[in-house]
Structures are given as C-alpha cells and as structure tokens.
Amino acid sequence: MFLFTSCQVGAETIFRAEIRRLFPDFRFSFSRPGFITFKVPDDLAGNAISEFANRSVFARTVAISLGKINLEKTDIGKTETETETESETETKKTGTFPFLANKIWAIVETNRIFVNRIHVFRRDPLPPGEKGFEPGLTPELQTLHRILIEHSPKPKFFGIHHDDPNYPAQPNETILSVVEIDSGCYFIGIHSVSQGLPIQFYYSGGILPITIPDNAVSRAWLKFEEGLRWSGFPIGKGDNCLDIGAAPGGGSQVLLSRGATVLGVDPAEIDPIVLNHRNFTHIRGRISQTKRSLYRNIRWIITDINVAPNYTLDVLEELATRKDIPLCGMLFTLKLFQWSLAEHLPAYIDRLQDWGFDEVRVKQLTFNRQELMVAAQHRQPKSPENDKLTLR
Ligand SMILES: C[S@@+](CC[C@H](N)C(=O)[O-])C[C@H]1O[C@@H](n2cnc3c(N)ncnc32)[C@H](O)[C@@H]1O
C-alpha cells in the first residue's frame, strides 16, 4: 500500500524526519515540494491512515494512493506560450477536466470503491503568506470538483452528492482525493475519516475555508482563527484572555469577535481598530515588566512572539504555573527559525506537561509559516488540589 501526504512547501525535510521517527518501516517513494508518497508494510496498513493523521505534526492530508494520472500534451492542448494570458491557460486546462474525470472514475470503478465525497486540492506553489499566496481552493479546482460530480457513475460508486467543495467530510465517509501535482499531473487517493481526527483531515487539502476579512489588522488573524477552530477551545462571551505580543492586534481581533475580553501586552502600537474596541485594553510594555496582579482573572492566553521556542516557553511558564491565575488553556506559536528546532518538540511538550497541562497538541497549521501552533489545555478545572496531582 502506498500513501500520499501533503505539507507546507519547505517543510519536507523535517516532515520526512518526523515520518522516519514515528514510522521507521515506511519507505519513501515519489515526492515533490509539499507532497510526499511512501510505501507502508502490509501488517501496518490497517491503521496507517488514522495513526498517521493523529500523530504527525506536519501532515495536512493523508490518503491511500490509487495512482498517478499524467495527461499527455495532446490532452492538455498545445503548451503554454509567452503571449498566452492566464485565463487562456486556465480555459485550456479546464477543457481537459471531463477527460480527466472519466479517467479518475475508471480507476475508482476498477478498485470497486464507493465514494461519499470528493476533495480536490493542489500542491502549494509557495509557502503561505509569501508573495500574497494563501492556500485554498482556486476557481479552477472548484470547476474540477463540479466536473467530477457531473461525470460520476452514480449511484454505483458515488453516494452522498455534495456540491460545496469546502463542506467538511463527516465521520466514516470515504473520500476521493484528487491532487494536482504539476500541470497535467494528478494523484488520486482514497481515505475515510474516523471520529476524533484533527479537524484539517475533514477538509479538501487539509485547508479550513478561512478568508481573512478586510478589517483584519494583521495576517496573525488567519492563524489564530485557524488555531481556535483546530483547538476547539470554547472561548466565548465574557472570557478573560491575555494576548502576549498583541501588536498590531490580529490575534486579539479573533478573540474579540467571539465576545471575549482581551488584555493585550506589547511595547509596540496596537492598531486603532483593536485599541478602540470596548473589550480591549492595551498594557504597554514587555510582559516581564507588567504587574502580575493584572492577570488574576485570566482564563486563556494566546501568544505569537518572534523569539526562540524556549524563550516563548519561559515567558509562558511563569504565568502558567502561578496558582493565582485560573488558566484554562494557552494557544501559541513556536517559531522554527531553523526547521531543525522541531527536533526538540518532545522536550517542549514535556515542559508543558510538567506545568500540569493534561492535553498538549502541536500542529503546523495551514496558515502557520515557519512555525508550529501549540494548544495546551487543563481538562480538569485548575485548583490547588489538582495542582498537587499534576505538578511534579
Ligand atoms: C509577530 S508580532 C505579533 C502579532 C500579533 N500577535 C497580531 O496578532 O497581530 C510579535 C510582537 O511581539 C511583541 N513582543 C516580543 N516580545 C515580547 C514580550 N516579551 N512581551 C510583550 N510583547 C513582546 C513584539 O513587540 C511584536 O509586536
């Protein structure tokens, strides 16, 4: 059995190291930036998808490969010329989609697979946030999704008909994935989603359909919106939150939009859109210079500071281990200034668990750049009794 998986462009080396560490019996095969395939031994095939999806920090998607389709030049039409406009190239490509769809359904029929849902995505052309690129479904991929549905051999191999390519899969559905690797080259895969997998695995390409609003004051809005949906933290009306390194305020905006009350600590200026919000207070300065008594009612902390992971953890440790802060959880980034810093992840997680967090999850989210998102939560309410049990 071959699996394919996708990740952020640039993260492949550290992702491969993670796969080698977690699954030493997997054998690497075809790969491209942002896309890796590997062979799984027969005895591990049964649980490989859910094991991989649950344990990998860097995987956005995973599926059993049904093969690769390379459209011939004649299928695509003549090759791109310098004078061709972008829309002409797109029209030419979408013109091949009915042909491609028939080839894909022929593979599905040969394998006698009953499909409930279709995911279409492409290998990212760039890292997120670079030259304005953000991962997501392009109009062209939406067209491919529609044409695949139109050409499906209903009802024998296609169960639930869903027109919206952004709609999340439901537990136990079988998903057909079609991945554009390069122009005219597609990988076809199949997987089912079991309950409890990280939220990404329910969406096409592992990409939550999030669009940054016009009034967002920074790109950090995207990663904290995605981070909150991924973590499932129940932050809502009246919850007291602390945003360390809040300026200009994108992360705070996400909390405010959920009705939370936010203390934003930062020596830098906060954007007036956030500063003037009635539930926001700016505490100007570095976190170490501020009075601890300000944080007595804080339930949730978010932070995104441009420092090495151990320094971020030093900043958080001092607050997270105080008995007078009724903390429920923390959502924060760890900056991987060198990708190799990810090798210390087990030690970072140990540190967090030593502070009494009983659930610590780490993921490179789609809108994270060269960094990881961490969600650490107290499942049991924090109390002096529980502290005795959990703080070693
Ligand atoms: C990447 S920006 C944060 C983006 C912000 N979270 C947002 O959502 O728009 C990093 C910020 O961390 C702040 N910072 C760095 N170290 C800090 C510290 N020890 N205490 C408070 N702020 C800090 C910097 O001044 C900078 O504004």
Side-chain angles (χ1 to χ4, degrees):
M1 183 173 88
F2 281 87
L3 296 187
F4 64 67
T5 179
S6 56
C7 66
Q8 181 179 117
V9 169
E12 305 81 18
T13 304
I14 195 75
F15 187 21
R16 279 164 179 274
E18 179 190 55
I19 297 170
R20 254 183 246 115
R21 181 170 57 81
L22 295 175
F23 307 100
D25 297 324
F26 291 6
R27 294 285 165 263
F28 291 108
S29 183
F30 174 92
S31 74
R32 282 275 187 283
F35 186 82
I36 294 175
T37 72
F38 44 83
K39 192 171 191 290
V40 177
D42 290 345
D43 54 323
L44 300 178
N47 293 328
I49 294 270
S50 60
E51 276 280 298
F52 193 80
N54 272 317
R55 297 179 69 191
S56 170
V57 167
F58 291 95
R60 282 193 200 160
T61 59
V62 58
I64 300 166
S65 178
L66 298 180
K68 184 163 70 156
I69 296 180
N70 255 318
L71 295 182
E72 302 296 327
K73 286 234 168 70
T74 47
D75 300 329
I76 306 173
K78 64 176 171 51
T79 45
E80 220 173 305
T81 63
E82 271 176 31
T83 50
E84 205 167 65
T85 66
E86 222 170 88
S87 76
E88 278 169 343
T89 311
E90 196 180 308
T91 312
K92 205 190 295 168
K93 210 194 242 177
T94 53
T96 65
F97 285 169
F99 178 81
L100 173 65
N102 287 335
K103 278 200 165 201
I104 291 170
W105 286 118
I107 294 174
V108 173
E109 290 201 57
T110 307
N111 285 278
R112 307 196 61 74
I113 295 163
F114 187 86
V115 172
N116 301 122
R117 193 172 294 276
I118 302 167
H119 282 175
V120 287
F121 58 101
R122 62 175 172 164
R123 183 168 75 73
D124 281 356
L126 288 168
E130 202 166 299
K131 297 184 183 161
F133 168 73
E134 297 297 353
L137 272 175
T138 59
E140 196 181 290
L141 289 173
Q142 294 187 25
T143 304
L144 177 57
H145 185 267
R146 179 176 52 74
I147 291 176
L148 277 162
I149 291 177
E150 285 167 7
H151 286 71
S152 65
K154 284 176 276 189
K156 211 162 144 213
F157 293 101
F158 196 61
I160 300 167
H161 177 112
H162 212 295
D163 286 340
D164 180 358
N166 275 320
Y167 198 83
Q170 304 301 303
N172 302 320
E173 284 185 345
T174 299
I175 297 152
L176 170 71
S177 286
V178 177
V179 195
E180 188 187 51
I181 304 299
D182 290 308
S183 184
C185 174
Y186 299 84
F187 260 81
I188 315 305
I190 206 89
H191 72 287
S192 55
V193 280
S194 50
Q195 212 131 24
L197 290 187
I199 191 172
Q200 291 79 8
F201 294 92
Y202 295 80
Y203 287 90
S204 279
I207 304 165
L208 271 61
I210 302 174
T211 315
I212 191 162
D214 290 340
N215 71 345
V217 300
S218 66
R219 191 181 173 276
W221 185 96
L222 264 181
K223 54 193 185 194
F224 279 107
E225 180 61 35
E226 186 185 18
L228 278 187
R229 293 193 202 183
W230 160 70
S231 67
F233 283 179
I235 300 180
K237 200 164 187 313
D239 277 335
N240 291 314
C241 301
L242 170 64
D243 183 356
I244 305 171
S252 290
Q253 267 184 308
V254 171
L255 299 170
L256 293 166
S257 72
R258 285 164 167 74
T261 300
V262 182
L263 289 183
V265 181
D266 203 304
E269 296 217 350
I270 301 287
D271 189 285
I273 294 181
V274 180
L275 195 62
N276 295 330
H277 194 291
R278 64 182 184 288
N279 290 337
F280 182 86
T281 309
H282 185 192
I283 300 166
R284 200 154 191 165
R286 305 185 80 73
I287 185 77
S288 54
Q289 302 160 337
T290 60
K291 282 201 206 112
R292 292 302 175 255
S293 57
L294 290 166
Y295 309 131
R296 260 186 217 134
N297 297 319
I298 292 298
R299 292 170 62 79
W300 301 96
I301 296 177
I302 67 166
T303 188
D304 177 36
I305 48 179
N306 279 325
V307 293
N310 265 326
Y311 181 73
T312 299
L313 293 174
D314 290 346
V315 165
L316 292 170
E317 178 168 14
E318 203 270 311
L319 295 162
T321 55
R322 287 181 77 97
K323 294 204 165 49
D324 56 350
I325 300 181
L327 198 61
C328 298
M330 310 190 301
L331 183 68
F332 60 95
T333 54
L334 288 178
K335 307 285 176 182
L336 303 177
F337 296 127
Q338 301 99 39
W339 285 106
S340 57
L341 281 169
E343 284 160 14
H344 303 290
L345 202 49
Y348 303 147
I349 294 174
D350 275 354
R351 253 188 102 174
L352 284 152
Q353 284 171 338
D354 278 349
W355 309 342
F357 288 104
D358 35 25
E359 190 177 278
V360 178
R361 285 172 290 155
V362 185
K363 188 94 195 142
Q364 182 169 50
L365 299 180
T366 299
F367 297 110
N368 279 139
R369 299 189 69 178
Q370 197 166 328
E371 62 195 2
L372 302 174
M373 188 65 90
V374 182
Q377 194 174 6
H378 291 290
R379 283 283 175 198
Q380 303 292 323
K382 202 167 170 251
S383 72
E385 271 315 298
N386 287 332
D387 281 349
K388 267 187 230 153
L389 294 173
T390 50
L391 282 179
R392 277 170 275 153

